[in-house]
Amino acid sequence: MVSIIPQRFFSGQVGVIESRGQKYSIFNPQGKPVFINCDGVGTKTEFYERRHMEGRAVDDLLAMNLDDTSKKGAQAQVVVGLLEHNWNAGTIPQKVAHQFKRRMKELGIMGVVESKDVNWRIEGYHSGKAFNLDGAVVSTIDEERLKNPLQSSAGDHLIAIWGAPNPRSNGITLRRRIMEDKGHAWHYNKQYQDVRDFLSTPSTIFYPVFERLIQEELVTNVTHLSGGSWKGKVAVPLAAQELYVSVTDLPALCGAERKLAAWSGKSAEALYESWPMGVEGLVSAQPGYENKAIDMIRRSGLNACVVGQLVNATPENSGVRLQTFNGEEVYFSGRVEERK
């Protein structure tokens, strides 16, 4: 819940407080509009459960939420996490709380994580030790940014960004099904060690570098490839702006992702519609700024390269057309008729 309270009730105090067993995060919005966005880790938690690495889910939570905040050009003030677990959670709450506190300190953002025993409502790989992790970001947006939202334009260069190979936190249901077909305890099989490591690698949190790129006006827009991937997160927004891009020279897929793609039995079109396929995020930059943007991204320890240039859409071309990892061509128009 987000509330506005008169300053006299907290004497200008900011930070996390606790009253009657409930935690509150208080901040002064400085007269700016307040925005909230919510998301969760989803069923990727199973990969962490299998390896007893539940704390890694925190990075997915932050990536899904904070990277969405960046898309609005907003500044995060508070991150709230809700950990749901069942009756025999063991050390899961402590692992999650420790990693959450650590990441919040690194990011310099207030954070609160609450845990709740939901008994048998959820179940996972280990009987009685399942968990869900959801959350929200409360942010402020400058009035000028509200009037002039981040928006790509024809002529902008499209830059792909990625960190350590990982599946982000989308399209996980199919990935889980693929691996279950290899055996219920597939993660113990050395034959699948590279896939196990890939699937249990957390999403890259782009918020810090997105913030710097936006503040220094090196980019015109930012996004990350979560649910919907190349169709929902790239083609649809571009088509709405009457833009089109032909994407080439994408980063090579890691071996684990190639295996999963082959085992899925899905077409390249279906895979790029639901999986990031080696690219975690995208930014657009005006001509002359692309190299500066790439330099800043690389100084942040991430990878980046130009993969296309935006042009005005035509009746024949809108959204995105891309060369896939296996040499095929996939086209998502992003137009209304395609989305129906």
Side-chain angles (χ1 to χ4, degrees):
M1 181 177 69
V2 179
S3 301
I4 298 175
I5 59 176
Q7 191 169 358
R8 66 180 182 274
F9 288 128
F10 64 99
S11 303
Q13 180 182 1
V14 296
V16 179
I17 66 170
E18 187 167 345
S19 177
R20 299 180 181 180
Q22 180 65 56
K23 293 179 181 178
Y24 299 86
S25 296
I26 301 174
F27 67 93
N28 187 338
Q30 304 293 332
K32 296 179 180 180
V34 175
F35 177 74
I36 184 170
N37 59 275
C38 314
D39 206 346
V41 179
T43 59
K44 189 179 179 181
T45 53
E46 182 188 305
F47 299 136
Y48 301 132
E49 289 172 14
R50 286 173 176 266
R51 303 188 67 187
H52 304 285
M53 295 177 170
E54 295 87 355
R56 291 189 175 189
V58 168
D59 283 24
D60 292 294
L61 175 75
L62 298 178
M64 296 304 105
N65 281 284
L66 286 172
D67 295 352
D68 274 352
T69 299
S70 291
K71 287 160 57 177
K72 293 289 183 181
Q75 288 75 51
Q77 302 296 331
V78 179
V79 179
V80 181
L82 174 61
L83 171 70
E84 297 176 305
H85 58 82
N86 53 15
W87 62 277
N88 192 28
T91 61
I92 292 175
Q94 291 87 349
K95 289 180 180 179
V96 170
H98 175 76
Q99 181 68 356
F100 187 84
K101 183 177 180 180
R102 177 186 171 191
R103 283 288 185 249
M104 291 298 94
K105 183 177 181 180
E106 292 172 351
L107 293 166
I109 304 172
M110 276 193 294
V112 174
V113 62
E114 299 277 10
S115 63
K116 182 175 178 60
D117 183 350
V118 294
N119 206 346
W120 293 101
R121 188 172 66 80
I122 57 175
E123 191 56 271
Y125 176 74
H126 297 288
S127 179
K129 290 188 177 181
F131 74 105
N132 288 329
L133 188 57
D134 302 289
V137 177
V138 181
S139 55
T140 53
I141 306 180
D142 189 88
E143 291 278 6
E144 197 62 30
R145 176 60 66 199
L146 281 175
K147 296 175 183 176
N148 300 282
L150 296 170
Q151 186 168 325
S152 304
S153 301
D156 287 356
H157 291 279
L158 190 66
I159 301 170
I161 310 177
W162 66 100
N166 72 84
R168 285 199 75 80
S169 192
N170 59 296
I172 300 299
T173 298
L174 174 59
R175 297 182 191 274
R176 289 171 55 229
R177 188 178 302 132
I178 291 169
M179 296 315 298
E180 277 289 334
D181 288 342
K182 305 298 180 183
H184 185 57
W186 59 266
H187 57 292
Y188 291 121
N189 190 327
K190 291 183 178 180
Q191 180 181 354
Y192 307 124
Q193 184 173 335
D194 58 337
V195 178
R196 180 201 66 184
D197 293 344
F198 170 76
L199 293 174
S200 57
T201 298
S203 306
T204 303
I205 303 169
F206 289 123
Y207 178 81
V209 69
F210 278 174
E211 276 293 285
R212 291 194 292 273
L213 289 167
I214 294 169
Q215 291 298 322
E216 297 196 21
E217 299 183 341
L218 295 180
V219 297
T220 56
N221 211 344
V222 302
T223 192
H224 66 111
L225 298 186
S226 58
S229 205
W230 287 93
K231 182 177 180 180
K233 291 297 170 65
V234 184
V236 171
L238 288 179
Q241 298 174 56
E242 290 297 320
L243 294 172
Y244 166 75
V245 64
S246 176
V247 172
T248 57
D249 299 321
L250 288 172
L253 290 187
C254 69
E257 185 75 304
R258 283 182 172 271
K259 289 179 182 179
L260 286 162
W263 294 338
S264 73
K266 299 288 184 179
S267 66
E269 181 178 0
L271 291 173
Y272 281 80
E273 183 177 344
S274 60
W275 291 357
M277 301 301 285
V279 175
E280 290 190 81
L282 294 164
V283 301
S284 56
Q286 293 180 331
Y289 287 85
E290 67 274 18
N291 290 331
K292 293 180 180 178
I294 289 174
D295 184 56
M296 177 175 285
I297 293 165
R298 289 176 176 170
R299 289 202 312 270
S300 300
L302 302 173
N303 306 293
C305 67
V306 173
V307 294
Q309 188 168 20
L310 302 173
V311 298
N312 290 316
T314 66
E316 296 77 26
N317 290 309
S318 68
V320 60
R321 188 184 306 274
L322 49 85
Q323 298 294 319
T324 68
F325 74 100
N326 59 1
E328 294 182 28
E329 183 180 273
V330 168
Y331 173 57
F332 299 118
S333 75
R335 288 179 168 143
V336 175
E337 58 269 24
E338 182 185 78
R339 304 201 298 268
K340 290 182 178 178

